[in-house]
Short mmCIF file of all heavy atoms in Angstrom, two decimals:
data_model
loop_
_atom_site.label_atom_id
_atom_site.label_comp_id
_atom_site.label_asym_id
_atom_site.label_seq_id
_atom_site.Cartn_x
_atom_site.Cartn_y
_atom_site.Cartn_z
N TYR A 996 -7.09 -1.33 -15.01
CA TYR A 996 -6.75 -2.14 -16.17
C TYR A 996 -5.76 -1.42 -17.04
O TYR A 996 -5.78 -0.20 -17.13
CB TYR A 996 -8.01 -2.47 -16.96
CG TYR A 996 -8.96 -3.36 -16.22
CD1 TYR A 996 -10.14 -2.86 -15.69
CD2 TYR A 996 -8.70 -4.71 -16.07
CE1 TYR A 996 -11.03 -3.67 -15.02
CE2 TYR A 996 -9.57 -5.53 -15.41
CZ TYR A 996 -10.73 -5.02 -14.88
OH TYR A 996 -11.59 -5.84 -14.22
N ASP A 997 -4.94 -2.17 -17.73
CA ASP A 997 -3.97 -1.61 -18.66
C ASP A 997 -4.50 -1.80 -20.08
O ASP A 997 -4.37 -2.86 -20.65
CB ASP A 997 -2.62 -2.30 -18.48
CG ASP A 997 -1.56 -1.72 -19.39
OD1 ASP A 997 -1.72 -0.58 -19.85
OD2 ASP A 997 -0.58 -2.42 -19.65
N HIS A 998 -5.14 -0.77 -20.63
CA HIS A 998 -5.68 -0.83 -21.98
C HIS A 998 -4.83 0.10 -22.84
O HIS A 998 -4.73 1.28 -22.55
CB HIS A 998 -7.14 -0.36 -22.01
CG HIS A 998 -8.02 -1.25 -21.21
ND1 HIS A 998 -8.51 -2.44 -21.69
CD2 HIS A 998 -8.51 -1.12 -19.96
CE1 HIS A 998 -9.26 -3.00 -20.78
NE2 HIS A 998 -9.28 -2.22 -19.71
N HIS A 999 -4.23 -0.44 -23.86
CA HIS A 999 -3.40 0.38 -24.73
C HIS A 999 -3.35 -0.23 -26.13
O HIS A 999 -3.63 -1.39 -26.33
CB HIS A 999 -2.00 0.54 -24.16
CG HIS A 999 -1.25 -0.76 -24.06
ND1 HIS A 999 -1.44 -1.62 -23.00
CD2 HIS A 999 -0.37 -1.35 -24.89
CE1 HIS A 999 -0.67 -2.69 -23.18
NE2 HIS A 999 -0.03 -2.56 -24.32
N ALA A 1000 -2.98 0.61 -27.08
CA ALA A 1000 -2.80 0.19 -28.46
C ALA A 1000 -1.34 0.42 -28.81
O ALA A 1000 -0.57 0.94 -28.00
CB ALA A 1000 -3.71 1.00 -29.38
N SER A 1001 -0.96 0.02 -29.98
CA SER A 1001 0.43 0.22 -30.39
C SER A 1001 0.67 1.70 -30.72
O SER A 1001 -0.27 2.46 -30.96
CB SER A 1001 0.75 -0.65 -31.60
OG SER A 1001 -0.05 -0.26 -32.70
N GLY A 1002 1.89 2.10 -30.75
CA GLY A 1002 2.25 3.48 -31.08
C GLY A 1002 3.42 3.94 -30.25
O GLY A 1002 3.95 3.20 -29.41
N GLU A 1003 3.85 5.16 -30.50
CA GLU A 1003 5.03 5.70 -29.83
C GLU A 1003 4.69 6.66 -28.70
O GLU A 1003 5.56 7.06 -27.95
CB GLU A 1003 5.92 6.39 -30.84
CG GLU A 1003 6.50 5.43 -31.87
CD GLU A 1003 7.43 6.11 -32.84
OE1 GLU A 1003 7.94 7.19 -32.51
OE2 GLU A 1003 7.65 5.56 -33.92
N ALA A 1004 3.42 7.07 -28.60
CA ALA A 1004 3.05 8.01 -27.55
C ALA A 1004 1.60 7.76 -27.14
O ALA A 1004 0.80 7.26 -27.92
CB ALA A 1004 3.18 9.45 -28.05
N SER A 1005 1.29 8.05 -25.91
CA SER A 1005 -0.08 7.88 -25.44
C SER A 1005 -0.33 8.83 -24.28
O SER A 1005 0.58 9.41 -23.72
CB SER A 1005 -0.31 6.43 -24.99
OG SER A 1005 0.51 6.13 -23.90
N LEU A 1006 -1.61 8.98 -23.93
CA LEU A 1006 -1.98 9.74 -22.75
C LEU A 1006 -3.28 9.19 -22.21
O LEU A 1006 -4.01 8.49 -22.90
CB LEU A 1006 -2.10 11.23 -23.04
CG LEU A 1006 -2.78 11.69 -24.31
CD1 LEU A 1006 -4.24 11.94 -24.08
CD2 LEU A 1006 -2.11 12.97 -24.77
N LYS A 1007 -3.53 9.45 -20.95
CA LYS A 1007 -4.69 8.89 -20.28
C LYS A 1007 -5.51 10.01 -19.66
O LYS A 1007 -4.97 10.93 -19.07
CB LYS A 1007 -4.23 7.93 -19.18
CG LYS A 1007 -5.36 7.35 -18.37
CD LYS A 1007 -4.82 6.44 -17.27
CE LYS A 1007 -5.93 5.87 -16.42
NZ LYS A 1007 -5.40 5.01 -15.36
N ALA A 1008 -6.83 9.91 -19.82
CA ALA A 1008 -7.74 10.86 -19.18
C ALA A 1008 -8.51 10.12 -18.11
O ALA A 1008 -9.06 9.06 -18.35
CB ALA A 1008 -8.70 11.44 -20.22
N SER A 1009 -8.56 10.66 -16.91
CA SER A 1009 -9.34 10.05 -15.83
C SER A 1009 -9.82 11.16 -14.91
O SER A 1009 -9.27 12.27 -14.90
CB SER A 1009 -8.51 9.02 -15.07
OG SER A 1009 -7.40 9.62 -14.47
N SER A 1010 -10.85 10.88 -14.15
CA SER A 1010 -11.40 11.83 -13.18
C SER A 1010 -11.80 13.15 -13.81
O SER A 1010 -11.64 14.21 -13.19
CB SER A 1010 -10.41 12.06 -12.04
OG SER A 1010 -10.09 10.85 -11.41
N ARG A 1011 -12.32 13.11 -15.03
CA ARG A 1011 -12.75 14.33 -15.69
C ARG A 1011 -14.03 14.84 -15.05
O ARG A 1011 -14.90 14.08 -14.68
CB ARG A 1011 -12.97 14.06 -17.18
CG ARG A 1011 -11.69 13.69 -17.89
CD ARG A 1011 -11.94 13.36 -19.35
NE ARG A 1011 -12.57 14.49 -20.01
CZ ARG A 1011 -13.51 14.36 -20.93
NH1 ARG A 1011 -13.95 13.18 -21.29
NH2 ARG A 1011 -14.04 15.42 -21.50
N LYS A 1012 -14.16 16.14 -14.92
CA LYS A 1012 -15.33 16.74 -14.29
C LYS A 1012 -16.23 17.45 -15.31
O LYS A 1012 -17.37 17.75 -15.02
CB LYS A 1012 -14.90 17.70 -13.20
CG LYS A 1012 -14.12 17.00 -12.09
CD LYS A 1012 -13.95 17.90 -10.91
CE LYS A 1012 -13.10 17.39 -9.81
NZ LYS A 1012 -13.06 16.07 -9.45
N ALA A 1013 -15.72 17.73 -16.51
CA ALA A 1013 -16.50 18.43 -17.55
C ALA A 1013 -16.09 17.90 -18.93
O ALA A 1013 -14.99 17.36 -19.08
CB ALA A 1013 -16.25 19.93 -17.48
N ASN A 1014 -16.97 18.07 -19.92
CA ASN A 1014 -16.69 17.58 -21.26
C ASN A 1014 -15.40 18.14 -21.85
O ASN A 1014 -14.67 17.47 -22.55
CB ASN A 1014 -17.85 17.89 -22.20
CG ASN A 1014 -19.05 17.00 -21.93
OD1 ASN A 1014 -18.93 15.95 -21.34
ND2 ASN A 1014 -20.20 17.47 -22.36
N TRP A 1015 -15.12 19.41 -21.58
CA TRP A 1015 -13.93 20.04 -22.14
C TRP A 1015 -12.66 19.70 -21.36
O TRP A 1015 -11.56 20.01 -21.78
CB TRP A 1015 -14.11 21.56 -22.16
CG TRP A 1015 -14.44 22.14 -20.81
CD1 TRP A 1015 -15.68 22.38 -20.32
CD2 TRP A 1015 -13.53 22.49 -19.78
NE1 TRP A 1015 -15.61 22.88 -19.04
CE2 TRP A 1015 -14.28 22.95 -18.68
CE3 TRP A 1015 -12.15 22.46 -19.66
CZ2 TRP A 1015 -13.71 23.38 -17.50
CZ3 TRP A 1015 -11.57 22.89 -18.49
CH2 TRP A 1015 -12.36 23.36 -17.42
N ASP A 1016 -12.78 19.04 -20.25
CA ASP A 1016 -11.68 18.76 -19.35
C ASP A 1016 -10.95 17.48 -19.77
O ASP A 1016 -10.92 16.49 -19.05
CB ASP A 1016 -12.24 18.62 -17.93
CG ASP A 1016 -11.18 18.57 -16.87
OD1 ASP A 1016 -10.03 18.94 -17.17
OD2 ASP A 1016 -11.48 18.15 -15.75
N GLY A 1017 -10.34 17.53 -20.94
CA GLY A 1017 -9.67 16.35 -21.48
C GLY A 1017 -8.16 16.48 -21.51
O GLY A 1017 -7.61 17.53 -21.14
N PRO A 1018 -7.49 15.46 -21.93
CA PRO A 1018 -6.02 15.48 -21.98
C PRO A 1018 -5.51 16.31 -23.16
O PRO A 1018 -6.25 16.57 -24.10
CB PRO A 1018 -5.66 14.01 -22.15
CG PRO A 1018 -6.81 13.44 -22.90
CD PRO A 1018 -8.03 14.18 -22.38
N SER A 1019 -4.27 16.70 -23.08
CA SER A 1019 -3.63 17.39 -24.19
C SER A 1019 -2.18 16.94 -24.28
O SER A 1019 -1.62 16.41 -23.32
CB SER A 1019 -3.70 18.91 -24.02
OG SER A 1019 -2.99 19.30 -22.86
N LYS A 1020 -1.59 17.16 -25.43
CA LYS A 1020 -0.20 16.75 -25.65
C LYS A 1020 0.48 17.82 -26.49
O LYS A 1020 0.04 18.12 -27.58
CB LYS A 1020 -0.15 15.41 -26.37
CG LYS A 1020 1.22 14.97 -26.77
CD LYS A 1020 1.59 13.70 -26.07
CE LYS A 1020 2.93 13.18 -26.53
NZ LYS A 1020 3.87 13.14 -25.47
N LEU A 1021 1.54 18.42 -25.97
CA LEU A 1021 2.34 19.38 -26.74
C LEU A 1021 3.20 18.61 -27.74
O LEU A 1021 3.80 17.60 -27.39
CB LEU A 1021 3.22 20.22 -25.82
CG LEU A 1021 2.50 21.22 -24.92
CD1 LEU A 1021 3.48 21.90 -23.99
CD2 LEU A 1021 1.76 22.24 -25.76
N LEU A 1022 3.26 19.11 -28.96
CA LEU A 1022 4.04 18.45 -30.01
C LEU A 1022 5.26 19.25 -30.41
O LEU A 1022 5.87 18.99 -31.44
CB LEU A 1022 3.14 18.19 -31.23
CG LEU A 1022 1.93 17.30 -30.95
CD1 LEU A 1022 1.07 17.18 -32.19
CD2 LEU A 1022 2.37 15.93 -30.47
N ASP A 1023 5.62 20.24 -29.60
CA ASP A 1023 6.80 21.05 -29.89
C ASP A 1023 8.02 20.15 -30.08
O ASP A 1023 8.30 19.27 -29.26
CB ASP A 1023 7.08 22.02 -28.75
CG ASP A 1023 5.98 23.05 -28.56
OD1 ASP A 1023 5.11 23.14 -29.43
OD2 ASP A 1023 6.01 23.74 -27.54
N GLY A 1024 8.74 20.35 -31.17
CA GLY A 1024 9.93 19.57 -31.46
C GLY A 1024 9.65 18.20 -32.06
O GLY A 1024 10.57 17.48 -32.41
N LEU A 1025 8.37 17.84 -32.18
CA LEU A 1025 8.02 16.54 -32.74
C LEU A 1025 7.49 16.62 -34.16
O LEU A 1025 7.49 15.63 -34.88
CB LEU A 1025 6.97 15.84 -31.87
CG LEU A 1025 7.39 15.54 -30.44
CD1 LEU A 1025 6.21 14.98 -29.66
CD2 LEU A 1025 8.53 14.54 -30.43
N ILE A 1026 7.03 17.80 -34.57
CA ILE A 1026 6.50 17.96 -35.92
C ILE A 1026 7.28 19.03 -36.66
O ILE A 1026 7.92 19.89 -36.05
CB ILE A 1026 5.00 18.30 -35.91
CG1 ILE A 1026 4.74 19.59 -35.15
CG2 ILE A 1026 4.19 17.17 -35.30
CD1 ILE A 1026 3.31 20.07 -35.25
N VAL A 1027 7.27 18.96 -37.98
CA VAL A 1027 8.02 19.86 -38.83
C VAL A 1027 7.04 20.50 -39.82
O VAL A 1027 6.16 19.82 -40.36
CB VAL A 1027 9.12 19.09 -39.60
CG1 VAL A 1027 9.88 20.01 -40.53
CG2 VAL A 1027 10.06 18.40 -38.64
N ALA A 1028 7.20 21.79 -40.08
CA ALA A 1028 6.34 22.50 -41.02
C ALA A 1028 6.44 21.88 -42.41
O ALA A 1028 7.48 21.33 -42.80
CB ALA A 1028 6.75 23.97 -41.09
N SER A 1029 5.36 21.93 -43.14
CA SER A 1029 5.25 21.46 -44.53
C SER A 1029 5.29 19.94 -44.67
O SER A 1029 5.48 19.44 -45.78
CB SER A 1029 6.34 22.09 -45.42
OG SER A 1029 6.21 23.50 -45.39
N LYS A 1030 5.17 19.21 -43.61
CA LYS A 1030 5.08 17.75 -43.69
C LYS A 1030 3.65 17.34 -43.38
O LYS A 1030 2.92 18.04 -42.70
CB LYS A 1030 6.03 17.08 -42.70
CG LYS A 1030 7.49 17.20 -43.07
CD LYS A 1030 8.33 16.31 -42.21
CE LYS A 1030 8.97 15.30 -43.13
NZ LYS A 1030 9.62 14.24 -42.44
N THR A 1031 3.26 16.16 -43.85
CA THR A 1031 1.93 15.63 -43.59
C THR A 1031 2.01 14.61 -42.47
O THR A 1031 2.91 13.78 -42.45
CB THR A 1031 1.37 14.95 -44.86
OG1 THR A 1031 1.31 15.93 -45.89
CG2 THR A 1031 -0.01 14.37 -44.61
N TYR A 1032 1.07 14.69 -41.54
CA TYR A 1032 1.02 13.76 -40.42
C TYR A 1032 -0.36 13.12 -40.35
O TYR A 1032 -1.35 13.75 -40.68
CB TYR A 1032 1.32 14.49 -39.10
CG TYR A 1032 2.73 15.03 -39.04
CD1 TYR A 1032 3.03 16.29 -39.52
CD2 TYR A 1032 3.75 14.25 -38.54
CE1 TYR A 1032 4.33 16.78 -39.48
CE2 TYR A 1032 5.05 14.73 -38.49
CZ TYR A 1032 5.33 15.99 -38.96
OH TYR A 1032 6.61 16.46 -38.93
N HIS A 1033 -0.41 11.90 -39.94
CA HIS A 1033 -1.66 11.19 -39.74
C HIS A 1033 -1.82 10.94 -38.25
O HIS A 1033 -0.92 10.43 -37.60
CB HIS A 1033 -1.65 9.86 -40.51
CG HIS A 1033 -1.52 10.05 -41.97
ND1 HIS A 1033 -2.59 10.29 -42.79
CD2 HIS A 1033 -0.42 10.07 -42.76
CE1 HIS A 1033 -2.17 10.44 -44.03
NE2 HIS A 1033 -0.86 10.32 -44.04
N VAL A 1034 -2.97 11.33 -37.71
CA VAL A 1034 -3.24 11.19 -36.29
C VAL A 1034 -4.40 10.22 -36.12
O VAL A 1034 -5.41 10.32 -36.81
CB VAL A 1034 -3.59 12.55 -35.66
CG1 VAL A 1034 -3.91 12.41 -34.19
CG2 VAL A 1034 -2.45 13.54 -35.88
N ALA A 1035 -4.25 9.28 -35.23
CA ALA A 1035 -5.31 8.31 -34.96
C ALA A 1035 -5.47 8.17 -33.46
O ALA A 1035 -4.57 8.52 -32.68
CB ALA A 1035 -4.97 6.96 -35.57
N GLY A 1036 -6.59 7.66 -33.05
CA GLY A 1036 -6.83 7.51 -31.62
C GLY A 1036 -7.50 6.19 -31.29
O GLY A 1036 -8.19 5.60 -32.11
N TYR A 1037 -7.26 5.72 -30.09
CA TYR A 1037 -7.88 4.52 -29.54
C TYR A 1037 -8.53 4.95 -28.24
O TYR A 1037 -7.89 5.57 -27.39
CB TYR A 1037 -6.81 3.46 -29.28
CG TYR A 1037 -7.26 2.28 -28.46
CD1 TYR A 1037 -7.98 1.24 -29.03
CD2 TYR A 1037 -6.96 2.21 -27.11
CE1 TYR A 1037 -8.38 0.16 -28.27
CE2 TYR A 1037 -7.36 1.13 -26.34
CZ TYR A 1037 -8.08 0.11 -26.93
OH TYR A 1037 -8.48 -0.96 -26.18
N VAL A 1038 -9.81 4.68 -28.10
CA VAL A 1038 -10.54 5.11 -26.91
C VAL A 1038 -11.16 3.90 -26.22
O VAL A 1038 -11.80 3.07 -26.86
CB VAL A 1038 -11.66 6.11 -27.27
CG1 VAL A 1038 -12.44 6.51 -26.04
CG2 VAL A 1038 -11.07 7.33 -27.97
N TYR A 1039 -10.95 3.80 -24.92
CA TYR A 1039 -11.54 2.72 -24.13
C TYR A 1039 -12.46 3.35 -23.09
O TYR A 1039 -12.10 4.34 -22.46
CB TYR A 1039 -10.45 1.92 -23.42
CG TYR A 1039 -11.01 0.93 -22.43
CD1 TYR A 1039 -11.48 -0.30 -22.87
CD2 TYR A 1039 -11.11 1.24 -21.08
CE1 TYR A 1039 -12.02 -1.21 -21.97
CE2 TYR A 1039 -11.66 0.35 -20.17
CZ TYR A 1039 -12.11 -0.88 -20.63
OH TYR A 1039 -12.65 -1.76 -19.74
N HIS A 1040 -13.64 2.81 -22.97
CA HIS A 1040 -14.53 3.25 -21.88
C HIS A 1040 -15.23 2.02 -21.33
O HIS A 1040 -15.45 1.04 -22.02
CB HIS A 1040 -15.51 4.34 -22.35
CG HIS A 1040 -16.56 3.87 -23.30
ND1 HIS A 1040 -17.77 3.41 -22.89
CD2 HIS A 1040 -16.56 3.78 -24.64
CE1 HIS A 1040 -18.49 3.06 -23.94
NE2 HIS A 1040 -17.77 3.27 -25.02
N GLU A 1041 -15.57 2.06 -20.06
CA GLU A 1041 -16.11 0.88 -19.38
C GLU A 1041 -17.63 0.77 -19.43
O GLU A 1041 -18.19 -0.22 -19.00
CB GLU A 1041 -15.63 0.88 -17.93
CG GLU A 1041 -14.14 0.69 -17.85
CD GLU A 1041 -13.61 0.66 -16.43
OE1 GLU A 1041 -14.37 0.98 -15.50
OE2 GLU A 1041 -12.44 0.30 -16.26
N SER A 1042 -18.31 1.76 -19.98
CA SER A 1042 -19.77 1.72 -20.07
C SER A 1042 -20.21 0.70 -21.11
O SER A 1042 -19.54 0.48 -22.11
CB SER A 1042 -20.29 3.11 -20.46
OG SER A 1042 -21.68 3.05 -20.70
N SER A 1043 -21.35 0.07 -20.89
CA SER A 1043 -21.87 -0.89 -21.87
C SER A 1043 -22.72 -0.20 -22.93
O SER A 1043 -23.16 -0.83 -23.87
CB SER A 1043 -22.70 -1.97 -21.16
OG SER A 1043 -23.78 -1.36 -20.49
N THR A 1044 -22.93 1.11 -22.79
CA THR A 1044 -23.69 1.87 -23.78
C THR A 1044 -22.73 2.63 -24.69
O THR A 1044 -21.60 2.96 -24.30
CB THR A 1044 -24.65 2.85 -23.11
OG1 THR A 1044 -23.90 3.75 -22.30
CG2 THR A 1044 -25.66 2.12 -22.24
N ALA A 1045 -23.19 2.93 -25.89
CA ALA A 1045 -22.37 3.69 -26.84
C ALA A 1045 -22.10 5.09 -26.32
O ALA A 1045 -22.95 5.70 -25.67
CB ALA A 1045 -23.06 3.75 -28.19
N GLU A 1046 -20.93 5.60 -26.57
CA GLU A 1046 -20.55 6.94 -26.16
C GLU A 1046 -20.09 7.72 -27.39
O GLU A 1046 -19.54 7.14 -28.31
CB GLU A 1046 -19.39 6.89 -25.16
CG GLU A 1046 -19.70 6.15 -23.88
CD GLU A 1046 -20.60 6.93 -22.94
OE1 GLU A 1046 -20.70 8.16 -23.07
OE2 GLU A 1046 -21.22 6.29 -22.08
N THR A 1047 -20.29 9.02 -27.38
CA THR A 1047 -19.78 9.88 -28.44
C THR A 1047 -18.41 10.40 -28.02
O THR A 1047 -18.27 10.94 -26.92
CB THR A 1047 -20.73 11.08 -28.68
OG1 THR A 1047 -22.00 10.58 -29.08
CG2 THR A 1047 -20.18 12.00 -29.75
N ILE A 1048 -17.43 10.22 -28.88
CA ILE A 1048 -16.07 10.67 -28.61
C ILE A 1048 -15.73 11.80 -29.58
O ILE A 1048 -15.95 11.67 -30.78
CB ILE A 1048 -15.05 9.51 -28.79
CG1 ILE A 1048 -15.44 8.30 -27.96
CG2 ILE A 1048 -13.65 9.98 -28.51
CD1 ILE A 1048 -15.48 8.54 -26.48
N THR A 1049 -15.21 12.90 -29.08
CA THR A 1049 -14.82 14.03 -29.92
C THR A 1049 -13.34 14.30 -29.73
O THR A 1049 -12.86 14.40 -28.61
CB THR A 1049 -15.62 15.29 -29.54
OG1 THR A 1049 -17.01 15.01 -29.66
CG2 THR A 1049 -15.27 16.45 -30.44
N MET A 1050 -12.62 14.39 -30.84
CA MET A 1050 -11.20 14.74 -30.80
C MET A 1050 -11.02 16.05 -31.55
O MET A 1050 -11.58 16.23 -32.63
CB MET A 1050 -10.36 13.65 -31.46
CG MET A 1050 -10.41 12.34 -30.73
SD MET A 1050 -9.52 11.02 -31.57
CE MET A 1050 -7.84 11.59 -31.43
N THR A 1051 -10.27 16.96 -30.98
CA THR A 1051 -9.98 18.23 -31.64
C THR A 1051 -8.48 18.47 -31.63
O THR A 1051 -7.76 17.94 -30.80
CB THR A 1051 -10.68 19.41 -30.94
OG1 THR A 1051 -10.26 19.46 -29.58
CG2 THR A 1051 -12.18 19.30 -31.00
N MET A 1052 -8.03 19.26 -32.58
CA MET A 1052 -6.62 19.62 -32.66
C MET A 1052 -6.53 21.12 -32.83
O MET A 1052 -7.25 21.73 -33.60
CB MET A 1052 -5.95 18.93 -33.84
CG MET A 1052 -4.50 19.19 -33.92
SD MET A 1052 -3.77 18.11 -35.16
CE MET A 1052 -2.08 18.59 -35.04
N ARG A 1053 -5.66 21.72 -32.06
CA ARG A 1053 -5.44 23.17 -32.14
C ARG A 1053 -3.97 23.39 -32.42
O ARG A 1053 -3.12 22.75 -31.83
CB ARG A 1053 -5.84 23.81 -30.82
CG ARG A 1053 -5.68 25.30 -30.83
CD ARG A 1053 -6.17 25.88 -29.55
NE ARG A 1053 -5.73 27.26 -29.47
CZ ARG A 1053 -6.30 28.15 -28.72
NH1 ARG A 1053 -7.32 27.83 -27.97
NH2 ARG A 1053 -5.85 29.38 -28.70
N TRP A 1054 -3.70 24.29 -33.32
CA TRP A 1054 -2.31 24.58 -33.66
C TRP A 1054 -2.06 26.08 -33.60
O TRP A 1054 -2.97 26.89 -33.68
CB TRP A 1054 -1.95 24.02 -35.03
CG TRP A 1054 -2.81 24.56 -36.14
CD1 TRP A 1054 -3.98 24.02 -36.59
CD2 TRP A 1054 -2.59 25.74 -36.89
NE1 TRP A 1054 -4.50 24.80 -37.60
CE2 TRP A 1054 -3.65 25.87 -37.82
CE3 TRP A 1054 -1.60 26.71 -36.92
CZ2 TRP A 1054 -3.74 26.92 -38.72
CZ3 TRP A 1054 -1.70 27.75 -37.81
CH2 TRP A 1054 -2.76 27.85 -38.70
N LYS A 1055 -0.79 26.42 -33.46
CA LYS A 1055 -0.38 27.81 -33.45
C LYS A 1055 0.83 27.93 -34.37
O LYS A 1055 1.79 27.18 -34.23
CB LYS A 1055 0.00 28.23 -32.02
CG LYS A 1055 0.14 29.72 -31.83
CD LYS A 1055 0.46 30.08 -30.41
CE LYS A 1055 -0.77 29.93 -29.55
NZ LYS A 1055 -0.60 30.44 -28.21
N ASN A 1056 0.77 28.85 -35.34
CA ASN A 1056 1.90 29.02 -36.26
C ASN A 1056 2.99 29.89 -35.64
O ASN A 1056 2.86 30.38 -34.52
CB ASN A 1056 1.43 29.52 -37.62
CG ASN A 1056 0.90 30.94 -37.57
OD1 ASN A 1056 1.14 31.70 -36.64
ND2 ASN A 1056 0.15 31.31 -38.59
N SER A 1057 4.06 30.12 -36.40
CA SER A 1057 5.20 30.86 -35.87
C SER A 1057 4.87 32.32 -35.58
O SER A 1057 5.59 32.99 -34.86
CB SER A 1057 6.39 30.78 -36.83
OG SER A 1057 6.01 31.31 -38.09
N ASN A 1058 3.77 32.83 -36.15
CA ASN A 1058 3.33 34.20 -35.87
C ASN A 1058 2.39 34.28 -34.68
O ASN A 1058 1.88 35.34 -34.37
CB ASN A 1058 2.63 34.79 -37.10
CG ASN A 1058 3.59 34.94 -38.27
OD1 ASN A 1058 4.77 35.24 -38.07
ND2 ASN A 1058 3.09 34.73 -39.47
N GLY A 1059 2.13 33.15 -34.04
CA GLY A 1059 1.25 33.13 -32.87
C GLY A 1059 -0.22 33.01 -33.21
O GLY A 1059 -1.05 33.06 -32.32
N MET A 1060 -0.55 32.85 -34.50
CA MET A 1060 -1.95 32.70 -34.90
C MET A 1060 -2.37 31.26 -34.65
O MET A 1060 -1.64 30.33 -34.99
CB MET A 1060 -2.13 33.04 -36.39
CG MET A 1060 -1.69 34.45 -36.75
SD MET A 1060 -2.72 35.71 -36.00
CE MET A 1060 -4.19 35.49 -36.92
N SER A 1061 -3.54 31.05 -34.05
CA SER A 1061 -3.99 29.70 -33.74
C SER A 1061 -5.25 29.37 -34.51
O SER A 1061 -5.95 30.23 -35.01
CB SER A 1061 -4.23 29.55 -32.25
OG SER A 1061 -5.25 30.41 -31.83
N SER A 1062 -5.51 28.08 -34.59
CA SER A 1062 -6.69 27.58 -35.26
C SER A 1062 -7.37 26.57 -34.36
O SER A 1062 -6.74 25.87 -33.63
CB SER A 1062 -6.30 26.94 -36.56
OG SER A 1062 -7.40 26.27 -37.13
#
């Protein structure tokens, strides 16, 4: 099935074998320091039961320090 929402970028996760085994997206060249960004997500799953969805964001500054 083709399930999608509006927006300029997307990614798909399938055939995951572990909880941590999710998709990622590099944002190099797409974001600028000192600006505010809003991130939203749309999740589709085929199960009829409720699922817990976790989204995390990791960043690395110009000194190589990550969060």
Side-chain angles (χ1 to χ4, degrees):
Y996 294 106
D997 182 21
H998 297 279
H999 63 278
S1001 63
E1003 295 183 21
S1005 63
L1006 43 92
K1007 177 182 179 180
S1009 62
S1010 302
R1011 295 177 58 218
K1012 298 192 186 325
N1014 287 339
W1015 56 266
D1016 190 16
S1019 64
K1020 174 117 176 118
L1021 290 175
L1022 300 176
D1023 296 349
L1025 298 175
I1026 59 173
V1027 178
S1029 301
K1030 289 191 118 190
T1031 300
Y1032 295 89
H1033 298 275
V1034 178
Y1037 168 81
V1038 178
Y1039 172 82
H1040 69 91
E1041 294 181 349
S1042 174
S1043 61
T1044 59
E1046 299 286 340
T1047 299
I1048 306 299
T1049 303
M1050 295 175 68
T1051 58
M1052 183 170 181
R1053 182 176 167 158
W1054 59 270
K1055 193 178 285 188
N1056 68 18
S1057 59
N1058 295 325
M1060 302 294 289
S1061 62
S1062 170

